[in-house]
Structures are given as C-alpha cells and as structure tokens.
Amino acid sequence: MADRIWRCGTRALLLDRPLVMGVVNVTPDSFYDGGETADPLSALARGRELAAAGADIIDVGGESTRPGAAPVDPAEEIARVRPVISALLLEDLCVSVDTRHARVASACADAGVHIINDVAGFRDRAMVKVAASCDAGLVVMHMGGEPATMQDAPVYDDVVADVRDYLERQAFRLRDAGVARDRIALDPGIGFGKTLEHNLELLRRLGEIAALGYPVVVGTSRKRFIGTLLDEPDVRRRLWGSVGAAVAATARGAAVVRVHDVGETVQALKVAHAIDAGEAAW
Ligand code: HH2
C-alpha cells in the first residue's frame, strides 16, 4: 500500500497505514447512535471528539440507511448535515458526507466537503454528474437493493465476484464521466443486502476486491452480523467485536475503516500495523 494516495479535493490522503473514518450521524434513527447527535452542536462536538481520538476522516450523515429505514427528504438532509460539515471544515478537518442524494452531495461539494460517500454506489446518474463536476474523493459502496427491503432475501451467485464486478463497473462509469481514478475508493457494503455468510465471505476474500487497485473502505462497526456472531442483540455491547472486525479487515486489504469507536479502533490498528511494519510507523 506504500506511496498510494487517495485524492480527496484539497487533501491527498496517504495510504501507507490504515485510515480511520469516524461516524457522525445527524439523525434521530441511526441503528447505533440515532438521536445522540441529532442536533448540530452535539454533532459538531462528536466530530471534534472523534478527530481528537485519531480519526483521519469525519463522515457526516443525515439519513439512516439501516435495514427498513424510511427515506429522508433531501432538503431536510441538507439542513441536517451542511452546517455540521461547514463547521468541521472550518476546523481544518478532513470531512466526508454520507449521502445517496445528488442534491445533498452537490450542496456539500459546494461547501468544500472532501469526500462523497454514496451507499447507493453512484447508481443515480445525477450522482455521477455531481461527482464529475467536483474534485472530491468518492466512496462507491455496494448495496443489494434498497434499505427498505434489502435484507428480505439477498441472493448472489458468488457474492465476492458479484460485488467486485459491480464495484468495478461503477468505477468505470465514473471514469467515463471524467472522474480521475485516484479519486475513487470501493466498499463492499457490509450488511447492505447481505446475509451473515455473505458478510463473512466478503471480509475473508476482501483481497479480491482490493486487487482491483482502488483503496477499499470497510464499515463493520456495531453491525448486526457482529451481534449474530456474538449472540449479542444489544448494539451497545459490540465494541470489542467491532474492533476485531476492523483489525481483520485491514489485515485483508482495507485501506480505510469506518467506525463509531475511533479511539479504541486506532489503538488496535496501531499495534497491528506496527507488527506488520516492524516499527512504530503510524
Ligand atoms: N454503513 C453505514 C452507513 N454508511 N458507508 C460506507 N461507505 N460503508 C458502510 O459500511 C456504511 C456507510 C451504516 O452505519 P451507520 O451510519 O452507523 O447507521 P445508519 O445508516 O443507521 O445511520
């Protein structure tokens, strides 16, 4: 991974160690932290806290995409996220917007956001247009179906090949529209239209997705598959399972992990990375 760079607007993120993306949900209903940071001031405070704990990127979202979640009107989503993003940018942090709506992405790109993280994988043509008209980094995530129904009965021939081929196609689509290759990152979308076995297979064979040559982003934090593995229905009690998943993902080629618990994850990754590098190289 040495010398690789992910171009994200005014930032060039060096991928010589795993990067940590901290989650700030400005929502009343996110599956883990819904309601905790639904007002802009507490969201801003959370963003600062995650940066102080070692987050390389702060990912701000205004719509829950948990299975069965109701869609949010883009105007409402902009009202939730843009003030928080603008304030975090003023503090010179690297900021990402988690949205699948072109109007939201465009408003945040105008505000100078560094990354557009689209859980719908830029399948909306309007999203591709926004991507082509700005210089933000892009996270292309695979989602099987729509949040309302995606967990009903997900079926794949070979989940890893299907997800990899989809992500590669979407990346080509972006490049066809004029997006530079080094702005694009790919994400297999753990928990988005996948069974436990699908999630495990995607993580186990993550190297096949990393082999496409784009940085790979992975979000496993506190998700249901961790609860299933641990027989732990309470999302508040999945911290250590989540840290384990982040370490396993980076060992298999994830360049970026998207997490709620930044300090704990950074601590684990620092040690795992030092072992790989043979020195304290964070
Ligand atoms: N997972 C969630 C949201 N956004 N983005 C990427 N790139 N990868 C992910 O795995 C991913 C994501 C779901 O987590 P969270 O934001 O905490 O929950 P909710 O969608 O309920 O707000």
Side-chain angles (χ1 to χ4, degrees), residues 118-173:
D118 180 6
V119 297
F122 293 85
R123 57 171 97 147
D124 177 0
R125 223 184 292 161
M127 273 301 255
V128 175
K129 264 197 178 167
V130 175
S133 64
C134 71
D135 61 359
L138 310 171
V139 181
V140 182
M141 199 196 81
H142 176 275
M143 170 163 61
E146 294 293 322
T149 52
M150 65 189 178
Q151 288 305 109
D152 287 355
V155 179
Y156 301 89
D157 285 335
D158 169 345
V159 67
V160 180
D162 290 4
V163 167
R164 182 199 59 208
D165 292 352
Y166 171 86
L167 292 174
E168 189 175 34
R169 270 199 311 278
Q170 294 306 95
F172 278 139
R173 211 173 150 213

Side-chain angles (χ1 to χ4, degrees), residues 17-18 20 52-54 243 247 250 262-282:
R17 61 158 174 84
V20 176
V243 171
V247 172
T250 55
V262 168
E264 293 85 345
T265 306
V266 166
Q267 190 180 85
L269 291 181
K270 269 187 183 171
V271 174
H273 182 66
I275 293 168
D276 278 343
E279 58 179 349
W282 193 263

Side-chain angles (χ1 to χ4, degrees), residues 25 30-31 64-65 98 117 141 187 192 219 223 258 260:
N25 282 318
S30 287
F31 81 95
S64 171
T65 46
D98 183 349
N117 171 23
M141 199 196 81
D187 184 330
F192 286 84
K223 284 185 179 170
R258 180 184 181 277
H260 301 93

Side-chain angles (χ1 to χ4, degrees), residues 28-166:
D29 58 345
S30 287
F31 81 95
Y32 170 56
D33 52 2
E36 269 181 32
T37 52
D39 71 283
L41 282 181
S42 47
L44 178 58
R46 174 67 57 85
R48 286 181 180 140
E49 200 183 293
L50 297 182
D56 300 288
I57 302 162
I58 309 295
D59 189 40
V60 181
E63 179 192 47
S64 171
T65 46
R66 73 181 197 287
V72 175
D73 181 74
E76 166 68 17
E77 201 184 326
I78 292 171
R80 289 180 185 179
V81 299
R82 199 169 48 178
V84 178
I85 286 173
S86 296
L88 291 170
L89 288 171
L90 277 176
E91 302 195 9
D92 210 23
L93 296 172
C94 182
V95 185
S96 155
V97 60
D98 183 349
T99 187
R100 57 201 177 113
H101 297 123
R103 274 178 60 199
V104 181
S106 175
C108 295
D110 289 348
V113 80
H114 298 102
I115 297 167
I116 300 170
N117 171 23
D118 180 6
V119 297
F122 293 85
R123 57 171 97 147
D124 177 0
R125 223 184 292 161
M127 273 301 255
V128 175
K129 264 197 178 167
V130 175
S133 64
C134 71
D135 61 359
L138 310 171
V139 181
V140 182
M141 199 196 81
H142 176 275
M143 170 163 61
E146 294 293 322
T149 52
M150 65 189 178
Q151 288 305 109
D152 287 355
V155 179
Y156 301 89
D157 285 335
D158 169 345
V159 67
V160 180
D162 290 4
V163 167
R164 182 199 59 208
D165 292 352
Y166 171 86

Side-chain angles (χ1 to χ4, degrees), residues 200-223:
L200 293 177
E201 191 69 357
L202 282 164
L203 289 167
R204 191 173 70 81
R205 292 167 53 198
L206 199 63
E208 293 175 39
I209 295 173
L212 293 174
Y214 300 91
V216 173
V217 179
V218 170
T220 51
S221 186
R222 306 255 175 190
K223 284 185 179 170

